[in-house]
Amino acid sequence: MQCVVFDMDGVLFDSEALVLQCWEQTAKLHGIPEIQEICHRCLGSNADMTRQMFLEKYGADFPYDTYKAEMSAKYWENVEAGRLELKSGVREMLTALRAHGWKTGIASSTRAVIVRKEMQHFGLEQMFDQIIGGDMVQHSKPNPEIYQTACRELGVLPAEAYAVEDSYNGIRSAAAAGMQAIMIPDLLPPTPEMEQLAAKIFPSMGAFQQFLFGQHRTKPA
């Protein structure tokens, strides 16, 4: 098994916490209740599904697009100000994977153009063989389509690849695709369902790296 496919938000970047912070600021301005609860439910979902879930919660006349644009503007202001950070151990893990000749990919519910923009911001785009965004597939996580697509583009069988996720929907998606789902929790803790679906749960990216190259000592293909 010499391929790892990563989710992006909450796995590579500390972006989910920043998005939640920006939604909380927007909600405070406009009196939107229970914003943390709906944001947690949307973790791992693509833009269309997130919009649908917001409208289901707040009503069909909820001006989601307006508030989403306001939240996004706050988010990118923070990114440009240097407040988006790489998760601990990410750069070291990607460097180790490349050094050992492993294939790497991204399967993110975020639109591909945004994924690439954030990768370029940190100078990481060249570290990935394939980038699959949420707008490149029909169905959102927890549907397995995005991971099936990533494996097909990388030329690997799902059973021979790891998928690294932090969200419940992401773990469901990776497991349904037949991959070895690895959970590194971010905003949400593991549940009994996650413990059943995930092949392994690690406290950090560094612990996963130690598992791969400490225990396995895998040689390049």
Side-chain angles (χ1 to χ4, degrees):
M1 187 178 297
Q2 296 186 337
C3 178
V4 182
V5 183
F6 297 87
D7 176 43
M8 183 179 73
D9 297 303
V11 170
L12 300 179
F13 304 136
D14 202 15
S15 43
E16 286 181 345
L18 185 57
V19 167
L20 179 58
Q21 176 187 320
C22 294
W23 264 122
E24 287 174 336
Q25 292 170 357
T26 303
K28 186 175 181 180
L29 282 173
H30 300 286
I32 307 169
E34 300 177 350
I35 195 68
Q36 187 175 96
E37 182 267 336
I38 184 65
C39 285
H40 282 175
R41 276 204 285 134
C42 290
L43 289 176
S45 301
N46 67 12
D48 290 340
M49 180 170 281
T50 297
R51 186 178 190 279
Q52 179 183 332
M53 291 170 72
F54 265 78
L55 294 180
E56 287 173 357
K57 179 172 179 63
Y58 296 114
D61 59 346
F62 181 75
Y64 173 77
D65 295 330
T66 300
Y67 294 153
K68 170 68 183 304
E70 187 176 323
M71 182 282 296
S72 294
K74 295 179 190 297
Y75 175 81
W76 285 107
E77 285 173 12
N78 279 280
V79 172
E80 294 304 322
R83 298 190 187 100
L84 177 63
E85 297 182 357
L86 273 178
K87 297 285 282 188
S88 176
V90 165
R91 199 176 292 276
E92 293 83 354
M93 169 62 104
L94 293 174
T95 300
L97 290 169
R98 302 308 275 182
H100 285 78
W102 284 47
K103 292 183 178 181
T104 54
I106 293 176
S108 171
S109 295
T110 300
R111 289 182 297 128
V113 66
I114 302 300
V115 175
R116 291 187 182 279
K117 183 177 179 180
E118 295 197 1
M119 290 298 135
Q120 290 164 3
H121 181 79
F122 285 96
L124 293 178
E125 189 174 13
Q126 75 281 1
M127 304 291 276
F128 296 95
D129 298 301
Q130 293 290 335
I131 292 176
I132 309 298
D135 56 332
M136 296 170 65
V137 294
Q138 262 193 312
H139 304 290
S140 177
K141 299 173 187 178
N143 187 285
E145 182 185 6
I146 193 166
Y147 276 113
Q148 292 167 339
T149 301
C151 288
R152 185 172 63 250
E153 293 299 318
L154 286 162
V156 299
L157 295 174
E160 297 177 352
Y162 290 107
V164 186
E165 278 282 354
D166 66 299
S167 73
Y168 301 160
N169 282 335
I171 291 293
R172 291 167 185 145
S173 173
M179 300 177 74
Q180 296 293 307
I182 301 297
M183 186 176 191
I184 301 177
D186 182 39
L187 297 184
L188 299 176
T191 63
E193 180 195 7
M194 295 301 106
E195 291 171 357
Q196 183 177 17
L197 291 177
K200 294 281 185 180
I201 299 175
F202 293 104
S204 66
M205 190 68 74
F208 181 38
Q209 182 179 342
Q210 175 65 24
F211 169 77
L212 289 184
F213 302 117
Q215 288 181 238
H216 284 196
R217 303 201 180 278
T218 307
K219 297 179 181 178

